[in-house]
């Protein structure tokens, strides 16, 4: 008779080799972006298309989308059990969240390297934040 299979020992190396997921949040100034010359806007859009194809082909891409302007946002709060909504973003800031990519990378350094290639990093900022899987709480 064979000894029982040790599943935890078999899974452990897979856990250690698992890539982490990172959310790359793309911030820019919506007012400045709206003033962009149409040719420059088209160029940036084309650059985003190339960037997205590259991270899809590399296997890093998990999800991503552009967001509608912050003026279309609704902020939700719950106070004393009552749901309160406010039109617009949570706070007034110079830069607004305009989109995101969810990527998988071997470590923070690789995710920063990917974030640095996002075209709008030249005119705004990219916040890189590791995903905290629910099974790790």
């Amino acid at each position: 008779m064979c000894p029982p299979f040790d599943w935890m020992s078999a899974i452990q190396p897979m856990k250690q080799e698992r890539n982490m997921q990172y959310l790359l949040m793309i911030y820019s100034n919506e007012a400045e972006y709206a003033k962009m010359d149409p040719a420059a806007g088209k160029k940036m859009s084309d650059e985003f298309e190339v960037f997205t194809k590259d991270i899809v082909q590399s296997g890093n891409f998990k999800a991503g989308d552009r967001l509608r302007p912050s003026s279309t946002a609704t902020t939700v709060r719950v106070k004393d059990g009552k749901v309160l909504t406010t039109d617009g973003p949570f706070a007034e800031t110079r830069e607004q969240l305009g989109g995101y990519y969810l990527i998988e990378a071997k470590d923070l350094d690789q995710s920063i390297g990917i974030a640095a290639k996002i075209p709008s990093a030249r005119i705004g900022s990219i916040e890189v934040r590791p995903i905290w899987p629910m099974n790790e709480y």
Side-chain angles (χ1 to χ4, degrees), residues 65-78:
D65 270 307
R66 184 175 182 183
L67 300 177
R68 299 218 177 252
S70 62
S71 61
T72 66
T74 301
T75 300
V76 178
R77 293 181 177 84
V78 178

Side-chain angles (χ1 to χ4, degrees), residues 48-131:
F48 263 101
E49 188 175 330
V50 169
F51 170 78
T52 303
K53 284 180 181 176
D54 286 348
I55 66 171
V56 167
Q57 289 175 348
S58 71
N60 295 107
F61 180 86
K62 295 297 168 196
D65 270 307
R66 184 175 182 183
L67 300 177
R68 299 218 177 252
S70 62
S71 61
T72 66
T74 301
T75 300
V76 178
R77 293 181 177 84
V78 178
K79 300 287 183 191
D80 299 321
K82 190 173 182 183
V83 177
L84 307 171
T85 60
T86 306
D87 291 339
F90 172 72
E92 293 296 319
T93 60
R94 269 184 25 95
E95 295 181 334
Q96 294 77 37
L97 180 61
Y100 70 93
Y101 285 99
L102 176 63
I103 64 162
E104 193 167 87
K106 66 180 180 177
D107 56 27
L108 180 60
D109 290 337
Q110 184 184 23
S111 66
I112 290 170
I114 293 168
K117 295 176 184 173
I118 294 175
S120 60
R122 297 187 307 267
I123 62 167
S125 62
I126 312 300
E127 180 179 343
V128 177
R129 191 173 306 179
I131 298 298

